[in-house]
Amino acid sequence: MIDNKVKELTRKIEMESRKLDKKIKDIEKIKLSITKDLKKNVKELKAKQLSKLQEEKKNITNKVKEMKSNLLNAKKDSTTKAVNKKIEESKKNIENNINKKPIDKTAKKIMNMMALYNKNANKELITILETLKDKELKKETGAYFKSIYGTFIHIIKCDMYFFKTYRKYSNKKIINDEDILNYLNNEDFSFNEDIDKDFETLIDIRKKLDDVIIAIVNSIENFNISDKVIIPNAEIKKPRYHLIMHAFNHSTHHRGEISVMLDQMGYSNDYSNLMTII
């Protein structure tokens, strides 16, 4: 009886042992399979990572090449622009040197003399006009600007117009009373301020304007440079001395008209003698 039980137990143990061996073998197979799959997955993962890194490297390499190319082109463009600028400046300097006349001290002396003459002639004229009555100043005589008053105002307006332009030629930063040059509205040639309603105010403006003119002319170094002045229906380009002389000549012309009107009224006058008043 006991032997049978032993045999049965032995048989069962052997069966269980075979099952265990089988399980062990199955486990080993699965472990081996898992190891193989893991190695394969790791390999695939590494391959993917490598491929991604290689692609990123390629993109970065291309970007670096592009940036280097852009930098090179930018340097070339900058160099080309700089060279072209120097060439243009050289051409301009050569052209200016060809066309540029030497600074003429004689022209400067003459312009300064004319500025002083202009002031003194106006001073002499004002001395006479201050003796006239208002109705005499505004009496219509058939002159282009009708009266002494009208002609006197016209001279002031033109001086403001011209010397506001000539102020650009001056190397002086500040000139006393130069704001009076802005009293003239260049659009319609009228005054921005009511300086023509009272003759005493006009005289004060005239005196200040003459000092401004002298300061402008005295502070111009080169009178031979060509510049532009806009007059009705024309734009004139002439050397500075030519343009400034026109303004002085214009004033002399209209002072001459006033002289005739004074003669007609019986007032003696001789305020235009260049040789004696400066």
Side-chain angles (χ1 to χ4, degrees), residues 101-113:
K101 296 178 181 179
I103 295 178
D104 189 346
K105 297 297 182 181
T106 301
K108 184 172 179 65
K109 288 180 180 180
I110 292 174
M111 291 301 101
N112 289 342
M113 179 186 71

Side-chain angles (χ1 to χ4, degrees), residues 112-130 148 152 155-156 159 199 203 206-207 209-211 213-214 247-259 262 268-278:
N112 289 342
M113 179 186 71
M114 290 303 299
L116 182 59
Y117 165 71
N118 181 72
K119 176 180 178 177
N120 288 348
N122 285 329
K123 183 178 178 181
E124 297 278 344
L125 172 60
I126 288 170
T127 300
I128 298 171
L129 297 185
E130 285 178 325
I148 292 174
F152 191 74
I155 299 172
I156 292 175
D159 280 350
F199 193 61
I203 290 175
R206 179 71 266 177
K207 291 177 179 178
L209 182 56
D210 287 335
D211 288 333
I213 290 172
I214 287 177
F248 291 138
N249 188 66
H250 173 269
S251 295
T252 299
H253 163 70
H254 287 294
R255 279 194 297 264
E257 286 187 312
I258 293 176
S259 178
L262 289 172
S268 13
N269 61 91
D270 185 16
Y271 51 79
S272 296
N273 195 326
L274 177 66
M275 294 182 69
T276 59
I277 66 174
I278 57 170

Side-chain angles (χ1 to χ4, degrees), residues 7-8 32 41 61 139 144 174 189 229 234:
K7 285 179 181 180
E8 182 65 26
L32 181 62
N41 290 337
T61 301
K139 179 182 178 181
Y144 188 84
I174 298 175
F189 222 63
V229 167

Side-chain angles (χ1 to χ4, degrees), residues 165-177:
T165 298
Y166 304 155
R167 175 67 173 102
K168 300 172 186 176
Y169 314 156
S170 166
N171 60 12
K172 199 168 186 177
K173 291 183 178 180
I174 298 175
I175 291 177
N176 291 337
D177 296 320

Side-chain angles (χ1 to χ4, degrees), residues 26-61:
D26 290 341
I27 289 171
E28 290 299 326
K29 286 181 180 179
I30 291 172
K31 285 173 64 178
L32 181 62
S33 176
I34 291 172
T35 302
K36 288 181 179 180
D37 291 341
L38 182 60
K39 288 181 178 179
K40 181 181 178 182
N41 290 337
V42 170
K43 186 176 181 181
E44 288 178 354
L45 180 61
K46 287 184 177 180
K48 287 181 181 179
Q49 289 178 336
L50 179 61
S51 177
K52 184 179 179 181
L53 289 172
Q54 287 175 335
E55 185 65 24
E56 290 177 351
K57 177 185 175 184
K58 182 180 178 182
N59 291 337
I60 293 172
T61 301

Side-chain angles (χ1 to χ4, degrees), residues 56-231:
E56 290 177 351
K57 177 185 175 184
K58 182 180 178 182
N59 291 337
I60 293 172
T61 301
N62 290 337
K63 284 184 179 179
V64 170
K65 285 182 180 179
E66 184 180 355
M67 292 171 67
K68 285 183 177 180
S69 177
N70 291 339
L71 178 60
L72 182 61
N73 291 333
K75 286 182 177 179
K76 286 182 179 179
D77 289 343
S78 178
T79 302
T80 302
K81 287 180 181 178
V83 170
N84 289 339
K85 184 178 180 181
K86 287 184 179 180
I87 291 173
E88 290 301 319
E89 288 177 352
S90 296
K91 287 182 179 178
K92 189 174 181 180
N93 289 335
I94 291 172
E95 184 178 341
N96 288 340
N97 288 334
I98 291 174
N99 297 327
K100 187 178 179 182
K101 296 178 181 179
I103 295 178
D104 189 346
K105 297 297 182 181
T106 301
K108 184 172 179 65
K109 288 180 180 180
I110 292 174
M111 291 301 101
N112 289 342
M113 179 186 71
M114 290 303 299
L116 182 59
Y117 165 71
N118 181 72
K119 176 180 178 177
N120 288 348
N122 285 329
K123 183 178 178 181
E124 297 278 344
L125 172 60
I126 288 170
T127 300
I128 298 171
L129 297 185
E130 285 178 325
T131 66
L132 272 65
K133 297 178 181 178
D134 186 68
K135 64 178 181 179
E136 291 176 316
L137 289 170
K138 297 178 180 177
K139 179 182 178 181
E140 294 194 13
T141 63
Y144 188 84
F145 294 99
K146 297 181 180 181
S147 64
I148 292 174
Y149 202 85
T151 305
F152 191 74
I153 288 174
H154 174 71
I155 299 172
I156 292 175
K157 285 182 175 180
C158 289
D159 280 350
M160 287 180 175
Y161 179 81
F162 285 123
F163 284 94
K164 186 174 182 178
T165 298
Y166 304 155
R167 175 67 173 102
K168 300 172 186 176
Y169 314 156
S170 166
N171 60 12
K172 199 168 186 177
K173 291 183 178 180
I174 298 175
I175 291 177
N176 291 337
D177 296 320
E178 65 176 313
D179 59 308
I180 64 174
L181 297 174
N182 297 318
Y183 286 176
L184 182 70
N185 184 337
N186 290 348
E187 297 297 325
D188 60 5
F189 222 63
S190 63
F191 288 126
N192 295 319
E193 305 286 338
D194 291 334
I195 61 173
D196 56 339
K197 303 301 181 183
D198 177 80
F199 193 61
E200 288 185 5
T201 303
L202 271 179
I203 290 175
D204 181 61
I205 291 295
R206 179 71 266 177
K207 291 177 179 178
K208 291 178 179 178
L209 182 56
D210 287 335
D211 288 333
V212 170
I213 290 172
I214 287 177
I216 291 174
V217 173
N218 286 348
S219 60
I220 297 173
E221 291 302 320
N222 192 344
F223 287 88
N224 289 315
I225 298 174
S226 291
D227 278 299
K228 294 179 182 179
V229 167
I230 298 174
I231 60 174

